[in-house]
Amino acid sequence: MDQPTALHLALPVRRLFVGGNWKMNLDLARATELSEDVAVRCALLAERVDVAIYVPFPYLQAVQRALGHHAIFLGGQDLSAQREGAFTGQTSGAMLADLGCRSVLIGHSERRHGLGEESTHLCAKVSRAIESGLIPVLCVGETKAQRLGGSTRAILAEQLVGSLEGVSLASAKELVIAYEPVWAIGTGDTATKADVEDAHRAIREVLADLYSAPFAQATRVIYGGSVNAKNAAELFACEEVDGGLIGGASLKCDDFFAIVSAACS
Ligand code: PGA
């Protein structure tokens, strides 16, 4: 694997990262209103933690305008594995960057498991994101059956190695990993602190093997899966947890604000 840039190794402390994944929700009016509210309420907090919102493609431009000069990152929920050309219905990394996106989700379980996206395909997406100057948030996570079968660590390793195989990180701004156990997404069933810490440690061990120990230490690993205004503070207090990827609770400004506030405390 390519050695990561000095930039990765220079990050002294891992600044927390909170992303709101809107999925296929809202309409144009509500997306615009929510982004205006988030921009205003989270403006000061965004000086202390990174705050991103991952918006449905058709609303990116309206949300980008609504975010204005605020420091909230705009993000895409997916991108094409291709650079450009005859790929009907797909959206390239360059197009996302053109619209002001700074980050993109890759391999969310609703795509990995729901749409059958394979790790080999995700490698190309990570590469396209990096080429386009976007921060990839690579999602990994085990199913309930895999957890009960005791293969969580093996699955995380397989997904990480598979999705990063041959990816050059030399020009990457950063790579963020989101640990999202499939059974905790949208279910209200949050992983315990111990589960999360163990999974994040496993992820860092794989990154250390793939790249280097300093790279693994500098890489932000965030947790997603039924994070809400009540449990965020406890999860974010874990040493291994560098923030969260928030689905349902990111659709209500009060809840999202409370979660971002928890990341600042
Ligand atoms: P959830 O979704 O917070 O609704 O569980 C998290 C995610 O899918 O990223």
Side-chain angles (χ1 to χ4, degrees):
M1 293 269 173
D2 274 4
Q3 284 305 307
T5 57
L7 186 74
H8 294 101
L9 308 179
L11 288 171
V13 189
R14 298 189 303 257
R15 183 176 155 103
L16 265 58
F17 184 108
V18 180
N21 175 11
W22 289 0
K23 308 191 181 185
M24 198 171 71
N25 290 301
L26 306 171
D27 57 22
L28 180 58
R30 286 188 295 154
T32 308
E33 192 185 9
L34 179 58
S35 44
E36 283 166 357
D37 291 349
V38 167
V40 171
R41 299 222 27 220
C42 295
L44 283 179
L45 301 177
E47 290 175 10
R48 294 165 58 197
V49 297
D50 287 340
V51 182
I53 47 179
Y54 296 91
V55 172
F57 291 145
Y59 304 150
L60 279 169
Q61 197 159 22
V63 170
Q64 194 255 343
R65 285 200 196 106
L67 292 179
H69 62 277
H70 293 284
I72 315 286
F73 291 19
L74 181 68
Q77 296 177 9
D78 182 41
L79 83 170
S80 175
Q82 311 293 335
R83 287 193 182 89
E84 65 176 343
F87 302 103
T88 304
Q90 298 201 38
T91 302
S92 70
M95 291 171 179
L96 292 178
D98 227 4
L99 287 174
C101 287
R102 290 165 68 184
S103 176
V104 64
L105 301 180
I106 297 178
H108 188 280
S109 84
E110 285 148 18
R111 303 196 63 86
R112 225 184 242 279
H113 298 280
L115 298 174
E117 283 197 357
E118 304 276 351
S119 287
T120 46
H121 187 62
L122 300 177
C123 283
K125 292 191 174 195
V126 177
S127 295
R128 297 295 88 77
I130 292 170
E131 281 168 16
S132 308
L134 302 166
I135 297 172
V137 176
L138 176 64
C139 306
V140 292
E142 81 289 358
T143 63
K144 189 84 181 176
Q146 289 164 337
R147 171 160 286 272
L148 294 175
S151 54
T152 298
R153 281 180 158 249
I155 293 295
L156 295 178
E158 189 183 298
Q159 291 179 353
L160 280 168
V161 172
S163 311
L164 292 171
E165 186 108 62
V167 172
S168 167
L169 291 183
S171 65
K173 288 197 173 110
E174 203 194 334
L175 171 70
V176 174
I177 306 293
Y179 168 57
E180 297 208 299
V182 180
W183 49 273
I185 297 178
T187 57
D189 202 3
T190 322
T192 64
K193 260 175 68 176
D195 291 341
V196 177
E197 288 197 302
D198 187 54
H200 284 214
R201 264 194 291 272
I203 288 168
R204 285 217 166 81
E205 282 166 27
V206 176
L207 293 176
D209 281 351
L210 281 175
Y211 301 105
S212 68
F215 174 74
Q217 277 313 309
T219 298
R220 291 185 283 189
V221 183
I222 63 176
Y223 168 77
S226 298
V227 178
N228 58 41
K230 291 204 177 83
N231 62 20
E234 189 188 3
L235 287 161
F236 296 165
C238 300
E239 204 184 311
E240 290 289 329
V241 177
D242 306 314
L245 186 58
I246 322 300
S250 71
L251 296 170
K252 290 192 194 122
C253 187
D254 284 350
D255 289 2
F256 191 62
F257 172 75
I259 293 167
V260 178
S261 302
C264 288
S265 56

